[in-house]
């Protein structure tokens, strides 16, 4: 018994340093991605704030998935103290709780922002009783406006899906893809090709889209050249890669969508998602967070450039929830270095920022529920 115990103790003592070493290696790796170091800043423009009328003709809603105020300030620091976001004079906070959880997921968060209805985590465009809820994209379409969705994730992923699909569960990617065919959406650009083309039910939705008059394209160069007509841009089998891989896919896709949708004389609704701010924060990876935050901000710059020229476009920027419980524990605005510390590898409950620019922007200040955002968009934009 004693020998057995001693043998066990020796084995444990021999094993411990290995474990410790392994942990140390992981910790060093984890620490190395906590600090972002800038390789250079981009120039931020400031746009004139003169608009026509009090109600917008067009609405561009940009959702930074997981983007809390720390993520925004990490971006401000990393770009030398300035972002395109600085153009927004009307700022508020959104409470993100879902119908059944203090901490929401992106499906309930997306559905709240698309429909104005709080629902359960995992729900795509359905209420707590799993009944479909009408989204502002669908209402815009009914009014004869042009509509679009752009995302760096699969276009069937929770956030964009919440604007166009009605499914009990966010994981039903093939059913979500099929829901796109039930609509008349004009432009969608994102990943998710395989959910349209390589399906268990044998349907090929890309052929069905073509039969409905869509240009179905997979390369960003081809997508960027489209100026009119219906467009399905499926740029990755599943999700697009990180910025280092996908380049300026998101700003270019957003510009392309605006070019096409603005042909509609009645106006348009466009939702754009910076999906991967969330993914960087889930990984507690500040480099990933900041790269995606800056890519999202440059995309916001494209929306602002159009809105400032057009003078009838309301641009709203917000998030579905915060991710990572991110705090900034070090940084240097002159060099663009920023250090993050995390309290979670998941979402948190805190309020997220809301930024508004354009006619009606003054309605999006103060503390609001996430559901107030689409409801106010409805009042200003769809109930004219
Ligand atoms: Mg998302
Ligand atoms: Zn997430």
């Amino acid at each position: 018994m004693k020998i057995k115990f001693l043998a066990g103790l020796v084995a444990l003592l021999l094993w411990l340093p290995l474990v410790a070493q392994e942990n140390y290696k992981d910790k060093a790796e984890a620490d190395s991605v906590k600090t972002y170091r800038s390789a250079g800043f981009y120039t931020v423009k400031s746009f004139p704030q003169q608009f026509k009328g009090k109600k917008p003709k067009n609405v561009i809603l940009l959702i930074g998935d997981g983007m809390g105020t720390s993520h925004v300030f990490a971006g401000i620091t990393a770009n030398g103290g300035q972002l395109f976001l600085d153009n927004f004079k009307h700022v508020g906070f959104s409470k993100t709780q879902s119908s059944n959880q203090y901490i929401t997921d992106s499906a309930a968060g997306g559905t709240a922002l698309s429909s104005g209805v709080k629902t359960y985590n995992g729900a795509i465009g359905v209420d707590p009783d799993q009944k479909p809820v009408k989204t502002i994209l669908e209402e815009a379409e009914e009014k004869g406006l042009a509509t679009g969705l752009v995302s760096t994730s699969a276009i069937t992923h929770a956030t964009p899906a919440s604007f166009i699909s009605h499914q009990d569960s966010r994981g039903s990617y093939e059913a979500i893809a099929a829901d796109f065919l039930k609509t008349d959406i004009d432009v969608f650009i994102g990943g998710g090709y395989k959910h349209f083309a390589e399906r268990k039910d044998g349907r090929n939705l890309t052929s069905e889209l073509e039969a409905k008059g869509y240009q179905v394209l997979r390369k960003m160069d081809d997508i960027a050249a489209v100026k009119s007509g219906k467009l399905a841009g499926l740029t990755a089998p599943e999700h697009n890669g990180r910025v280092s891989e996908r380049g300026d896919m998101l700003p270019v896709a957003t510009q392309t969508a605006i070019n096409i949708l603005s042909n509609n004389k009645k106006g348009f609704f466009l939702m754009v998602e910076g999906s991967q701010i969330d993914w960087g924060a889930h990984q507690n990876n500040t480099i990933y967070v900041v790269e995606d935050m800056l890519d999202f901000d440059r995309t916001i710059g494209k929306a602002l450039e159009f809105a400032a020229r057009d003078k009838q476009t309301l641009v709203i920027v917000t998030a579905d929830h915060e991710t990572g419980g991110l705090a900034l524990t070090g940084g240097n605005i002159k060099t663009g270095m920023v250090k993050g510390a995390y309290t979670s590898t998941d979402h948190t409950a805190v309020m997220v920022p809301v930024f508004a620019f354009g006619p009606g922007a003054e309605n999006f200040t103060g503390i609001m529920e996430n559901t107030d955002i689409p409801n106010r968009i409805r009042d200003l934009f769809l109930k004219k």
Side-chain angles (χ1 to χ4, degrees):
M1 191 66 197
K2 224 178 214 172
I3 288 166
K4 221 178 185 178
F5 173 76
L6 279 173
L9 191 67
V10 168
L12 184 72
L13 286 172
L14 283 172
W15 182 68
L16 265 176
L18 285 175
V19 175
Q21 216 171 13
E22 199 53 43
N23 282 344
Y24 178 72
K25 193 180 144 228
D26 288 344
K27 194 178 178 304
E29 238 173 63
D31 279 350
S32 72
V33 298
K34 295 275 195 309
T35 303
Y36 172 90
R37 289 186 173 81
S38 174
F41 306 147
Y42 57 84
T43 308
V44 166
K45 278 189 233 167
S46 87
F47 295 103
Q49 314 248 348
Q50 275 107 39
F51 310 114
K52 280 189 217 157
K54 293 238 178 285
K55 295 193 167 192
K57 176 184 169 195
N58 313 303
V59 171
I60 305 174
L61 172 62
L62 299 110
I63 301 176
D65 198 313
M67 184 188 74
T69 52
S70 291
H71 308 64
V72 172
F73 198 69
I76 290 175
T77 307
N79 197 45
Q82 275 194 311
L83 289 182
F84 279 104
L85 269 173
D86 294 355
N87 280 286
F88 290 80
K89 305 291 180 224
H90 300 281
V91 181
F93 284 104
S94 162
K95 296 193 272 190
T96 67
Q97 281 60 48
S98 67
S99 73
N100 68 336
Q101 297 280 327
Y102 185 55
I103 296 176
T104 189
D105 79 326
S106 291
T111 301
L113 291 171
S114 72
S115 70
V117 174
K118 296 246 188 197
T119 187
Y120 60 94
N121 287 11
I124 299 291
V126 296
D127 70 10
D129 300 321
Q130 304 188 329
K131 288 206 184 72
V133 288
K134 199 166 273 186
T135 73
I136 49 176
L137 184 145
E138 291 166 331
E139 286 170 33
E141 189 182 292
E142 279 174 12
K143 293 205 146 241
L145 310 189
T147 57
L149 292 174
V150 173
S151 175
T152 59
S153 67
I155 203 71
T156 46
H157 206 241
T159 313
S162 298
F163 283 79
I164 196 161
S165 173
H166 306 278
Q167 296 293 334
D168 299 350
S169 164
R170 61 182 289 172
S172 308
Y173 294 123
E174 295 187 0
I176 290 168
D179 279 352
F180 277 72
L181 273 295
K182 296 176 190 160
T183 75
D184 262 320
I185 185 169
D186 295 275
V187 177
F188 56 98
I189 307 169
Y193 177 80
K194 72 173 192 188
H195 304 305
F196 288 82
E198 296 156 23
R199 300 166 54 84
K200 286 194 196 76
D201 64 5
R203 277 172 76 183
N204 185 335
L205 302 186
T206 61
S207 329
E208 291 184 31
L209 283 164
E210 280 167 351
K212 279 187 80 172
Y214 286 83
Q215 305 161 79
V216 181
L217 300 170
R218 299 182 69 185
K219 292 203 179 75
M220 268 316 297
D221 286 349
D222 298 335
I223 290 166
V226 178
K227 300 278 181 252
S228 62
K230 284 184 176 288
L231 170 63
L234 295 166
T235 52
E238 181 73 48
H239 306 303
N240 291 283
R242 281 176 64 168
V243 174
S244 52
E245 199 184 311
R246 71 174 192 264
D248 55 5
M249 176 261 163
L250 187 64
V252 171
T254 300
Q255 185 64 63
T256 305
I258 292 171
N259 294 344
I260 300 169
L261 298 176
S262 60
N263 291 325
N264 188 314
K265 298 249 171 340
K266 288 186 180 170
F268 69 84
F269 172 80
L270 171 64
M271 193 289 295
V272 176
E273 185 199 19
S275 320
Q276 301 188 26
I277 300 167
D278 176 64
W279 302 353
H282 276 289
Q283 292 179 21
N284 289 183
N285 182 334
T286 310
I287 298 172
Y288 195 168
V289 167
V290 169
E291 284 172 358
D292 259 83
M293 183 66 225
L294 297 180
D295 177 67
F296 186 55
D297 182 64
R298 283 189 296 259
T299 304
I300 293 165
K302 299 291 182 199
L304 288 176
E305 187 134 40
F306 172 80
R309 198 169 1 107
D310 173 72
K311 299 182 170 61
Q312 302 176 81
T313 301
L314 174 62
V315 181
I316 310 266
V317 179
T318 190
D320 47 358
H321 51 73
E322 196 273 355
T323 305
L326 175 60
L328 306 180
T329 53
N332 184 326
I333 289 172
K334 284 208 176 74
T335 65
M337 180 275 284
V338 60
K339 188 176 182 211
Y342 299 81
T343 56
S344 171
T345 54
D346 211 329
H347 306 163
T348 74
V350 290
M351 297 188 291
V352 293
V354 182
F355 304 90
F357 175 102
E362 62 280 2
N363 294 285
F364 297 85
T365 60
I367 296 177
M368 61 200 103
E369 289 291 345
N370 52 6
T371 46
D372 292 334
I373 297 169
N375 286 332
R376 289 174 196 179
I377 291 174
R378 264 190 188 111
D379 288 344
L380 285 165
F381 176 56
L382 298 167
K383 286 186 184 159
K384 297 180 272 202

